Amino acid sequence: MPLEVVPICAYSARESFADPILQRFASLRDISHQDGILRKSILESVSRATQMGHPDFAHLPLGGSGTCMGVTAFIDMAAFTARTFWDDPQDVLWLNMAVLTQVAKTVQGFGGHVLGLRGDGVFACFGDKRMADMKVAAGACVAACAFILDGAKGPLNEALEARGMEPVRLRAGADFGDLSFVRIGTETASEVNVVGFAANFASKCEKHAGAWGLVVGEELASLLPESDISLHEQSPKRYVRKGEERRYRFYDVSLPVYLKLGELVQEQLNGRPLSAIVPH
């Protein structure tokens, strides 16, 4: 049966995240048995698609590299392996495609760049060399994560549960710092990879986040108001080399205030880059 949106009181802006997922999931199920229509749909989507990656480094030659400061984020679906074990493979496929598509669209709507799609998650970056204040990139990243997590937790999951499907559980991790972009691979198969502690630690943070949570490294935390963060119970991360020990803290982020900030960010951007926002 078709997937229907369950009416929800006080729907707020969450519907703008959840509804496209539900509609996309339902339409994919409806056309999955019609090879010609599905093939046409895929070709049309590919023709409209923009290249993933940071636009400042998209045209690097093989072996070429470049750097910038930025906020990186990983947003993924927790317990996705269990879903692939229990659920119908086609349902898993279409739900994965629908959710990650909307996560990627939301990242772009908040001025971020989709660096890659990693199975059950999205790898994103906020900020570029033209940013006058990286606090703008930090706020946009956290606001995007808050918007995504809230939208999936509410309307999307209520609709899935009404259909008898296991709800999705999203989580996110992020950090800020120097990012190095390098094109690696061969002359016939290459991609721009991101190297740097901020990107790697953002991935570690995501693993420490509970469902519907955002965990950030201490460099990103330093760009956020102290009232919005709290030290994670498993912090700090300890690194030891040749007898020297260093510690790096990570924090849980309180997200409600960023839902309101998210609406302001999207209004101010309206298709413009993050660097166009001038903080007051």
Side-chain angles (χ1 to χ4, degrees):
M1 67 179 182
L3 192 63
E4 297 180 353
V5 179
V6 176
I8 296 176
C9 297
Y11 214 41
S12 76
R14 296 182 300 175
E15 63 185 338
S16 63
F17 177 82
D19 282 356
I21 295 176
L22 300 172
Q23 294 164 6
R24 188 176 295 111
F25 178 71
S27 64
L28 286 169
R29 286 174 55 86
D30 289 344
I31 66 175
S32 63
H33 64 284
Q34 303 177 41
D35 291 341
I37 297 177
L38 180 58
R39 189 177 299 111
K40 180 181 179 181
S41 174
I42 292 174
L43 290 174
E44 289 177 349
S45 297
V46 171
S47 67
R48 294 192 301 268
T50 57
Q51 187 175 11
M52 284 194 300
H54 198 297
D56 290 349
F57 308 102
H59 304 295
L60 287 172
L62 188 63
S65 63
T67 62
C68 76
M69 298 288 285
V71 179
T72 52
F74 281 86
I75 306 155
D76 85 346
M77 288 186 280
F80 190 75
T81 301
R83 181 181 289 275
T84 62
F85 180 82
W86 290 107
D87 291 358
D88 177 81
Q90 285 298 313
D91 279 353
V92 173
L93 175 64
W94 299 137
L95 184 62
N96 176 270
M97 181 178 178
V99 171
L100 295 192
T101 296
Q102 195 59 26
V103 170
K105 285 180 176 291
T106 301
V107 166
Q108 293 172 328
F110 278 81
H113 310 296
V114 178
L115 301 183
L117 302 176
R118 302 290 188 260
D120 58 356
V122 174
F123 179 29
C125 174
F126 295 78
D128 54 46
K129 296 178 179 179
R130 295 170 291 280
M131 293 292 298
D133 188 343
M134 292 307 299
K135 288 184 178 179
V136 173
C141 174
V142 176
C145 290
F147 189 87
I148 290 166
L149 296 174
D150 184 72
K153 184 178 182 181
L156 174 60
N157 270 346
E158 292 195 24
L160 292 177
E161 289 176 333
R163 196 179 183 280
M165 293 181 65
E166 188 74 13
V168 296
R169 290 184 291 158
L170 270 64
R171 61 187 180 182
D175 205 3
F176 165 73
D178 288 309
L179 302 174
S180 297
F181 295 79
V182 57
R183 182 171 293 280
I184 60 175
T186 69
E187 293 183 355
T188 56
S190 69
E191 69 174 4
V192 177
N193 196 21
V194 184
V195 180
F197 180 76
N200 291 340
F201 200 75
S203 176
K204 301 295 183 185
C205 285
E206 177 263 314
K207 297 298 185 290
H208 283 290
W212 318 118
L214 169 64
V215 173
V216 302
E218 67 175 58
E219 287 297 327
L220 177 52
S222 69
L223 298 176
L224 304 175
E226 290 187 10
S227 58
D228 295 345
I229 60 175
S230 58
L231 192 67
H232 192 283
E233 62 180 4
Q234 296 179 4
S235 179
K237 172 69 176 177
R238 293 173 172 83
Y239 294 96
V240 180
R241 176 186 285 179
K242 296 181 180 179
E244 179 184 1
E245 179 179 297
R246 295 185 183 182
R247 300 183 178 188
Y248 193 79
R249 297 182 296 275
F250 49 99
Y251 300 80
D252 292 303
V253 180
S254 178
L255 297 177
V257 67
Y258 290 93
L259 291 174
K260 295 182 179 179
L261 175 63
E263 297 178 19
L264 297 175
V265 170
Q266 293 182 91
E267 288 176 3
Q268 290 187 48
L269 284 176
N270 195 25
R272 299 184 300 166
L274 271 179
S275 54
I277 295 182
V278 179
H280 297 292

mmCIF file of all heavy atoms in Angstrom, residues 39-84:
data_model
loop_
_atom_site.group_PDB
_atom_site.id
_atom_site.type_symbol
_atom_site.label_atom_id
_atom_site.label_comp_id
_atom_site.label_asym_id
_atom_site.label_seq_id
_atom_site.Cartn_x
_atom_site.Cartn_y
_atom_site.Cartn_z
ATOM 1 N N ARG A 39 14.024 3.518 -15.311
ATOM 2 C CA ARG A 39 15.246 3.907 -16.018
ATOM 3 C C ARG A 39 15.168 5.374 -16.427
ATOM 4 O O ARG A 39 16.136 6.125 -16.307
ATOM 5 C CB ARG A 39 15.430 3.017 -17.250
ATOM 6 C CG ARG A 39 16.792 3.201 -17.932
ATOM 7 C CD ARG A 39 16.950 2.235 -19.097
ATOM 8 N NE ARG A 39 16.889 0.853 -18.661
ATOM 9 C CZ ARG A 39 15.888 0.031 -18.946
ATOM 10 N NH1 ARG A 39 14.864 0.452 -19.659
ATOM 11 N NH2 ARG A 39 15.905 -1.211 -18.524
ATOM 12 N N LYS A 40 14.011 5.804 -16.901
ATOM 13 C CA LYS A 40 13.842 7.201 -17.298
ATOM 14 C C LYS A 40 13.991 8.121 -16.097
ATOM 15 O O LYS A 40 14.633 9.176 -16.179
ATOM 16 C CB LYS A 40 12.458 7.403 -17.924
ATOM 17 C CG LYS A 40 12.197 8.845 -18.365
ATOM 18 C CD LYS A 40 10.803 8.988 -18.962
ATOM 19 C CE LYS A 40 10.535 10.440 -19.370
ATOM 20 N NZ LYS A 40 9.172 10.612 -19.920
ATOM 21 N N SER A 41 13.428 7.715 -14.958
ATOM 22 C CA SER A 41 13.528 8.525 -13.751
ATOM 23 C C SER A 41 14.975 8.684 -13.314
ATOM 24 O O SER A 41 15.413 9.764 -12.927
ATOM 25 C CB SER A 41 12.710 7.881 -12.622
ATOM 26 O OG SER A 41 12.890 8.571 -11.414
ATOM 27 N N ILE A 42 15.739 7.577 -13.371
ATOM 28 C CA ILE A 42 17.140 7.623 -12.966
ATOM 29 C C ILE A 42 17.940 8.516 -13.904
ATOM 30 O O ILE A 42 18.743 9.345 -13.469
ATOM 31 C CB ILE A 42 17.736 6.202 -12.950
ATOM 32 C CG1 ILE A 42 17.094 5.385 -11.824
ATOM 33 C CG2 ILE A 42 19.248 6.259 -12.781
ATOM 34 C CD1 ILE A 42 17.507 3.934 -11.808
ATOM 35 N N LEU A 43 17.711 8.401 -15.207
ATOM 36 C CA LEU A 43 18.439 9.218 -16.172
ATOM 37 C C LEU A 43 18.142 10.698 -15.987
ATOM 38 O O LEU A 43 19.035 11.546 -16.091
ATOM 39 C CB LEU A 43 18.087 8.776 -17.605
ATOM 40 C CG LEU A 43 18.617 7.404 -18.026
ATOM 41 C CD1 LEU A 43 18.080 7.037 -19.409
ATOM 42 C CD2 LEU A 43 20.143 7.393 -18.033
ATOM 43 N N GLU A 44 16.876 11.019 -15.700
ATOM 44 C CA GLU A 44 16.521 12.417 -15.468
ATOM 45 C C GLU A 44 17.198 12.945 -14.215
ATOM 46 O O GLU A 44 17.666 14.082 -14.177
ATOM 47 C CB GLU A 44 15.003 12.549 -15.356
ATOM 48 C CG GLU A 44 14.282 12.349 -16.683
ATOM 49 C CD GLU A 44 12.776 12.409 -16.517
ATOM 50 O OE1 GLU A 44 12.309 12.398 -15.353
ATOM 51 O OE2 GLU A 44 12.069 12.463 -17.540
ATOM 52 N N SER A 45 17.277 12.113 -13.170
ATOM 53 C CA SER A 45 17.923 12.533 -11.936
ATOM 54 C C SER A 45 19.410 12.773 -12.161
ATOM 55 O O SER A 45 19.981 13.738 -11.663
ATOM 56 C CB SER A 45 17.732 11.466 -10.843
ATOM 57 O OG SER A 45 16.370 11.313 -10.533
ATOM 58 N N VAL A 46 20.054 11.887 -12.913
ATOM 59 C CA VAL A 46 21.484 12.037 -13.189
ATOM 60 C C VAL A 46 21.749 13.297 -13.987
ATOM 61 O O VAL A 46 22.710 14.029 -13.746
ATOM 62 C CB VAL A 46 22.015 10.798 -13.949
ATOM 63 C CG1 VAL A 46 23.431 11.047 -14.436
ATOM 64 C CG2 VAL A 46 21.977 9.572 -13.051
ATOM 65 N N SER A 47 20.879 13.613 -14.945
ATOM 66 C CA SER A 47 21.089 14.798 -15.772
ATOM 67 C C SER A 47 20.971 16.087 -14.978
ATOM 68 O O SER A 47 21.555 17.110 -15.337
ATOM 69 C CB SER A 47 20.077 14.817 -16.928
ATOM 70 O OG SER A 47 18.755 15.014 -16.430
ATOM 71 N N ARG A 48 20.202 16.054 -13.861
ATOM 72 C CA ARG A 48 20.029 17.247 -13.037
ATOM 73 C C ARG A 48 21.051 17.324 -11.910
ATOM 74 O O ARG A 48 21.174 18.350 -11.256
ATOM 75 C CB ARG A 48 18.617 17.267 -12.425
ATOM 76 C CG ARG A 48 17.492 17.415 -13.430
ATOM 77 C CD ARG A 48 16.195 17.718 -12.698
ATOM 78 N NE ARG A 48 15.853 16.675 -11.740
ATOM 79 C CZ ARG A 48 15.082 15.635 -12.023
ATOM 80 N NH1 ARG A 48 14.580 15.490 -13.236
ATOM 81 N NH2 ARG A 48 14.798 14.732 -11.094
ATOM 82 N N ALA A 49 21.765 16.227 -11.673
ATOM 83 C CA ALA A 49 22.632 16.152 -10.515
ATOM 84 C C ALA A 49 23.857 17.051 -10.661
ATOM 85 O O ALA A 49 24.372 17.264 -11.760
ATOM 86 C CB ALA A 49 23.087 14.707 -10.289
ATOM 87 N N THR A 50 24.293 17.596 -9.532
ATOM 88 C CA THR A 50 25.539 18.346 -9.499
ATOM 89 C C THR A 50 26.614 17.456 -8.897
ATOM 90 O O THR A 50 26.326 16.530 -8.141
ATOM 91 C CB THR A 50 25.396 19.608 -8.639
ATOM 92 O OG1 THR A 50 24.972 19.225 -7.322
ATOM 93 C CG2 THR A 50 24.374 20.557 -9.237
ATOM 94 N N GLN A 51 27.854 17.737 -9.245
ATOM 95 C CA GLN A 51 28.955 16.919 -8.785
ATOM 96 C C GLN A 51 29.134 17.054 -7.277
ATOM 97 O O GLN A 51 29.065 18.148 -6.732
ATOM 98 C CB GLN A 51 30.241 17.338 -9.499
ATOM 99 C CG GLN A 51 31.426 16.435 -9.207
ATOM 100 C CD GLN A 51 32.638 16.828 -10.030
ATOM 101 O OE1 GLN A 51 32.654 17.877 -10.657
ATOM 102 N NE2 GLN A 51 33.656 15.984 -10.031
ATOM 103 N N MET A 52 29.351 15.921 -6.600
ATOM 104 C CA MET A 52 29.616 15.976 -5.172
ATOM 105 C C MET A 52 31.023 16.498 -4.935
ATOM 106 O O MET A 52 31.896 16.430 -5.792
ATOM 107 C CB MET A 52 29.465 14.591 -4.550
ATOM 108 C CG MET A 52 28.033 14.154 -4.372
ATOM 109 S SD MET A 52 27.897 12.703 -3.283
ATOM 110 C CE MET A 52 28.867 11.507 -4.175
ATOM 111 N N GLY A 53 31.223 17.003 -3.728
ATOM 112 C CA GLY A 53 32.540 17.487 -3.360
ATOM 113 C C GLY A 53 32.539 18.984 -3.108
ATOM 114 O O GLY A 53 31.551 19.681 -3.342
ATOM 115 N N HIS A 54 33.656 19.473 -2.604
ATOM 116 C CA HIS A 54 33.809 20.896 -2.344
ATOM 117 C C HIS A 54 34.123 21.603 -3.660
ATOM 118 O O HIS A 54 35.078 21.233 -4.355
ATOM 119 C CB HIS A 54 34.950 21.115 -1.347
ATOM 120 C CG HIS A 54 34.929 22.452 -0.699
ATOM 121 N ND1 HIS A 54 35.074 23.623 -1.414
ATOM 122 C CD2 HIS A 54 34.784 22.825 0.601
ATOM 123 C CE1 HIS A 54 35.025 24.650 -0.593
ATOM 124 N NE2 HIS A 54 34.840 24.189 0.642
ATOM 125 N N PRO A 55 33.340 22.627 -4.042
ATOM 126 C CA PRO A 55 33.549 23.269 -5.350
ATOM 127 C C PRO A 55 34.926 23.901 -5.517
ATOM 128 O O PRO A 55 35.416 24.017 -6.645
ATOM 129 C CB PRO A 55 32.440 24.327 -5.396
ATOM 130 C CG PRO A 55 32.057 24.561 -3.969
ATOM 131 C CD PRO A 55 32.225 23.230 -3.294
ATOM 132 N N ASP A 56 35.572 24.291 -4.431
ATOM 133 C CA ASP A 56 36.902 24.892 -4.535
ATOM 134 C C ASP A 56 37.961 23.884 -4.951
ATOM 135 O O ASP A 56 39.044 24.270 -5.404
ATOM 136 C CB ASP A 56 37.317 25.511 -3.195
ATOM 137 C CG ASP A 56 36.514 26.758 -2.852
ATOM 138 O OD1 ASP A 56 35.794 27.258 -3.746
ATOM 139 O OD2 ASP A 56 36.601 27.224 -1.701
ATOM 140 N N PHE A 57 37.648 22.584 -4.801
ATOM 141 C CA PHE A 57 38.662 21.563 -5.066
ATOM 142 C C PHE A 57 38.186 20.489 -6.043
ATOM 143 O O PHE A 57 38.853 19.478 -6.223
ATOM 144 C CB PHE A 57 39.088 20.904 -3.745
ATOM 145 C CG PHE A 57 39.481 21.896 -2.692
ATOM 146 C CD1 PHE A 57 38.613 22.223 -1.662
ATOM 147 C CD2 PHE A 57 40.717 22.521 -2.742
ATOM 148 C CE1 PHE A 57 38.967 23.149 -0.695
ATOM 149 C CE2 PHE A 57 41.088 23.452 -1.785
ATOM 150 C CZ PHE A 57 40.219 23.771 -0.762
ATOM 151 N N ALA A 58 37.067 20.730 -6.680
ATOM 152 C CA ALA A 58 36.489 19.730 -7.584
ATOM 153 C C ALA A 58 37.355 19.471 -8.809
ATOM 154 O O ALA A 58 37.322 18.383 -9.390
ATOM 155 C CB ALA A 58 35.095 20.161 -8.016
ATOM 156 N N HIS A 59 38.127 20.470 -9.226
ATOM 157 C CA HIS A 59 38.893 20.338 -10.471
ATOM 158 C C HIS A 59 40.376 20.062 -10.231
ATOM 159 O O HIS A 59 41.203 20.299 -11.116
ATOM 160 C CB HIS A 59 38.722 21.600 -11.305
ATOM 161 C CG HIS A 59 37.288 21.935 -11.596
ATOM 162 N ND1 HIS A 59 36.489 21.123 -12.381
ATOM 163 C CD2 HIS A 59 36.492 22.958 -11.193
ATOM 164 C CE1 HIS A 59 35.273 21.639 -12.455
ATOM 165 N NE2 HIS A 59 35.255 22.752 -11.741
ATOM 166 N N LEU A 60 40.709 19.561 -9.054
ATOM 167 C CA LEU A 60 42.098 19.199 -8.788
ATOM 168 C C LEU A 60 42.552 18.098 -9.745
ATOM 169 O O LEU A 60 41.813 17.159 -10.011
ATOM 170 C CB LEU A 60 42.251 18.695 -7.350
ATOM 171 C CG LEU A 60 42.183 19.725 -6.219
ATOM 172 C CD1 LEU A 60 42.169 19.008 -4.879
ATOM 173 C CD2 LEU A 60 43.358 20.696 -6.302
ATOM 174 N N PRO A 61 43.777 18.190 -10.261
ATOM 175 C CA PRO A 61 44.308 17.096 -11.092
ATOM 176 C C PRO A 61 44.720 15.925 -10.218
ATOM 177 O O PRO A 61 44.801 16.053 -8.989
ATOM 178 C CB PRO A 61 45.527 17.741 -11.755
ATOM 179 C CG PRO A 61 45.997 18.755 -10.740
ATOM 180 C CD PRO A 61 44.739 19.297 -10.114
ATOM 181 N N LEU A 62 44.957 14.797 -10.811
ATOM 182 C CA LEU A 62 45.388 13.621 -10.072
ATOM 183 C C LEU A 62 46.671 13.956 -9.302
ATOM 184 O O LEU A 62 47.651 14.414 -9.872
ATOM 185 C CB LEU A 62 45.640 12.457 -11.030
ATOM 186 C CG LEU A 62 45.909 11.095 -10.380
ATOM 187 C CD1 LEU A 62 44.690 10.638 -9.589
ATOM 188 C CD2 LEU A 62 46.254 10.058 -11.446
ATOM 189 N N GLY A 63 46.635 13.765 -8.002
ATOM 190 C CA GLY A 63 47.778 14.088 -7.159
ATOM 191 C C GLY A 63 47.774 15.516 -6.662
ATOM 192 O O GLY A 63 48.560 15.873 -5.783
ATOM 193 N N GLY A 64 46.891 16.355 -7.209
ATOM 194 C CA GLY A 64 46.808 17.745 -6.790
ATOM 195 C C GLY A 64 46.110 17.872 -5.450
ATOM 196 O O GLY A 64 45.266 17.046 -5.091
ATOM 197 N N SER A 65 46.425 18.926 -4.695
ATOM 198 C CA SER A 65 45.838 19.093 -3.377
ATOM 199 C C SER A 65 45.595 20.562 -3.068
ATOM 200 O O SER A 65 46.104 21.459 -3.742
ATOM 201 C CB SER A 65 46.757 18.484 -2.299
ATOM 202 O OG SER A 65 48.004 19.169 -2.267
ATOM 203 N N GLY A 66 44.796 20.815 -2.047
ATOM 204 C CA GLY A 66 44.505 22.161 -1.588
ATOM 205 C C GLY A 66 43.961 22.087 -0.172
ATOM 206 O O GLY A 66 43.548 21.022 0.291
ATOM 207 N N THR A 67 43.983 23.212 0.543
ATOM 208 C CA THR A 67 43.546 23.211 1.936
ATOM 209 C C THR A 67 42.590 24.365 2.222
ATOM 210 O O THR A 67 42.592 25.383 1.521
ATOM 211 C CB THR A 67 44.746 23.324 2.894
ATOM 212 O OG1 THR A 67 45.418 24.571 2.656
ATOM 213 C CG2 THR A 67 45.714 22.172 2.698
ATOM 214 N N CYS A 68 41.786 24.192 3.245
ATOM 215 C CA CYS A 68 40.939 25.265 3.763
ATOM 216 C C CYS A 68 40.504 24.894 5.170
ATOM 217 O O CYS A 68 40.624 23.738 5.589
ATOM 218 C CB CYS A 68 39.729 25.516 2.867
ATOM 219 S SG CYS A 68 38.406 24.281 3.013
ATOM 220 N N MET A 69 40.011 25.873 5.906
ATOM 221 C CA MET A 69 39.405 25.602 7.203
ATOM 222 C C MET A 69 37.936 25.271 6.956
ATOM 223 O O MET A 69 37.295 25.867 6.082
ATOM 224 C CB MET A 69 39.507 26.823 8.110
ATOM 225 C CG MET A 69 40.926 27.251 8.417
ATOM 226 S SD MET A 69 41.756 26.096 9.535
ATOM 227 C CE MET A 69 40.967 26.523 11.088
ATOM 228 N N GLY A 70 37.403 24.348 7.699
ATOM 229 C CA GLY A 70 36.011 23.998 7.487
ATOM 230 C C GLY A 70 35.452 23.146 8.602
ATOM 231 O O GLY A 70 36.179 22.624 9.453
ATOM 232 N N VAL A 71 34.124 23.023 8.614
ATOM 233 C CA VAL A 71 33.403 22.177 9.554
ATOM 234 C C VAL A 71 32.943 20.944 8.791
ATOM 235 O O VAL A 71 32.272 21.062 7.765
ATOM 236 C CB VAL A 71 32.190 22.912 10.152
ATOM 237 C CG1 VAL A 71 31.441 21.998 11.119
ATOM 238 C CG2 VAL A 71 32.633 24.189 10.854
ATOM 239 N N THR A 72 33.319 19.785 9.267
ATOM 240 C CA THR A 72 32.894 18.546 8.624
ATOM 241 C C THR A 72 31.866 17.837 9.495
ATOM 242 O O THR A 72 31.899 17.937 10.726
ATOM 243 C CB THR A 72 34.080 17.582 8.387
ATOM 244 O OG1 THR A 72 34.793 17.402 9.617
ATOM 245 C CG2 THR A 72 35.000 18.143 7.324
ATOM 246 N N ALA A 73 30.957 17.121 8.846
ATOM 247 C CA ALA A 73 29.903 16.416 9.574
ATOM 248 C C ALA A 73 29.604 15.077 8.925
ATOM 249 O O ALA A 73 29.634 14.955 7.689
ATOM 250 C CB ALA A 73 28.629 17.261 9.623
ATOM 251 N N PHE A 74 29.338 14.094 9.755
ATOM 252 C CA PHE A 74 28.845 12.797 9.311
ATOM 253 C C PHE A 74 27.448 12.620 9.878
ATOM 254 O O PHE A 74 27.227 12.758 11.088
ATOM 255 C CB PHE A 74 29.739 11.652 9.810
ATOM 256 C CG PHE A 74 31.000 11.461 9.032
ATOM 257 C CD1 PHE A 74 32.128 12.192 9.334
ATOM 258 C CD2 PHE A 74 31.054 10.549 7.987
ATOM 259 C CE1 PHE A 74 33.306 12.023 8.618
ATOM 260 C CE2 PHE A 74 32.220 10.366 7.263
ATOM 261 C CZ PHE A 74 33.348 11.112 7.575
ATOM 262 N N ILE A 75 26.494 12.319 9.015
ATOM 263 C CA ILE A 75 25.106 12.091 9.425
ATOM 264 C C ILE A 75 24.696 10.725 8.882
ATOM 265 O O ILE A 75 24.733 10.512 7.664
ATOM 266 C CB ILE A 75 24.166 13.176 8.860
ATOM 267 C CG1 ILE A 75 24.684 14.563 9.244
ATOM 268 C CG2 ILE A 75 22.747 12.982 9.350
ATOM 269 C CD1 ILE A 75 24.256 15.658 8.318
ATOM 270 N N ASP A 76 24.364 9.796 9.753
ATOM 271 C CA ASP A 76 24.027 8.466 9.246
ATOM 272 C C ASP A 76 22.866 7.845 9.996
ATOM 273 O O ASP A 76 22.372 8.382 10.991
ATOM 274 C CB ASP A 76 25.260 7.552 9.242
ATOM 275 C CG ASP A 76 25.510 6.870 10.587
ATOM 276 O OD1 ASP A 76 24.922 7.279 11.603
ATOM 277 O OD2 ASP A 76 26.306 5.917 10.614
ATOM 278 N N MET A 77 22.430 6.710 9.497
ATOM 279 C CA MET A 77 21.329 5.966 10.100
ATOM 280 C C MET A 77 21.907 4.886 11.004
ATOM 281 O O MET A 77 22.618 3.993 10.530
ATOM 282 C CB MET A 77 20.440 5.353 9.020
ATOM 283 C CG MET A 77 19.598 6.377 8.281
ATOM 284 S SD MET A 77 18.406 5.651 7.120
ATOM 285 C CE MET A 77 19.483 5.299 5.721
ATOM 286 N N ALA A 78 21.612 4.968 12.294
ATOM 287 C CA ALA A 78 22.095 3.982 13.248
ATOM 288 C C ALA A 78 21.369 2.655 13.045
ATOM 289 O O ALA A 78 20.233 2.614 12.575
ATOM 290 C CB ALA A 78 21.878 4.492 14.676
ATOM 291 N N ALA A 79 22.057 1.579 13.406
ATOM 292 C CA ALA A 79 21.487 0.221 13.343
ATOM 293 C C ALA A 79 20.999 -0.133 11.943
ATOM 294 O O ALA A 79 20.035 -0.891 11.784
ATOM 295 C CB ALA A 79 20.346 0.072 14.354
ATOM 296 N N PHE A 80 21.675 0.388 10.928
ATOM 297 C CA PHE A 80 21.224 0.134 9.557
ATOM 298 C C PHE A 80 21.520 -1.310 9.136
ATOM 299 O O PHE A 80 20.770 -1.906 8.362
ATOM 300 C CB PHE A 80 21.902 1.105 8.591
ATOM 301 C CG PHE A 80 21.319 1.080 7.212
ATOM 302 C CD1 PHE A 80 20.092 1.665 6.952
ATOM 303 C CD2 PHE A 80 21.994 0.455 6.169
ATOM 304 C CE1 PHE A 80 19.535 1.637 5.684
ATOM 305 C CE2 PHE A 80 21.449 0.423 4.891
ATOM 306 C CZ PHE A 80 20.219 1.019 4.650
ATOM 307 N N THR A 81 22.605 -1.885 9.656
ATOM 308 C CA THR A 81 22.927 -3.279 9.331
ATOM 309 C C THR A 81 21.811 -4.211 9.783
ATOM 310 O O THR A 81 21.436 -5.147 9.062
ATOM 311 C CB THR A 81 24.255 -3.694 9.988
ATOM 312 O OG1 THR A 81 25.298 -2.843 9.523
ATOM 313 C CG2 THR A 81 24.591 -5.138 9.630
ATOM 314 N N ALA A 82 21.248 -3.945 10.970
ATOM 315 C CA ALA A 82 20.134 -4.769 11.454
ATOM 316 C C ALA A 82 18.927 -4.624 10.537
ATOM 317 O O ALA A 82 18.197 -5.600 10.285
ATOM 318 C CB ALA A 82 19.772 -4.358 12.883
ATOM 319 N N ARG A 83 18.696 -3.427 10.032
ATOM 320 C CA ARG A 83 17.573 -3.224 9.109
ATOM 321 C C ARG A 83 17.762 -4.057 7.846
ATOM 322 O O ARG A 83 16.810 -4.646 7.326
ATOM 323 C CB ARG A 83 17.442 -1.738 8.746
ATOM 324 C CG ARG A 83 16.276 -1.448 7.806
ATOM 325 C CD ARG A 83 16.206 0.031 7.450
ATOM 326 N NE ARG A 83 15.775 0.841 8.572
ATOM 327 C CZ ARG A 83 14.502 1.054 8.892
ATOM 328 N NH1 ARG A 83 13.536 0.506 8.178
ATOM 329 N NH2 ARG A 83 14.190 1.808 9.919
ATOM 330 N N THR A 84 18.994 -4.107 7.336
ATOM 331 C CA THR A 84 19.233 -4.900 6.125
ATOM 332 C C THR A 84 19.053 -6.393 6.382
ATOM 333 O O THR A 84 18.780 -7.160 5.451
ATOM 334 C CB THR A 84 20.651 -4.652 5.583
ATOM 335 O OG1 THR A 84 21.635 -5.061 6.555
ATOM 336 C CG2 THR A 84 20.871 -3.188 5.246
#
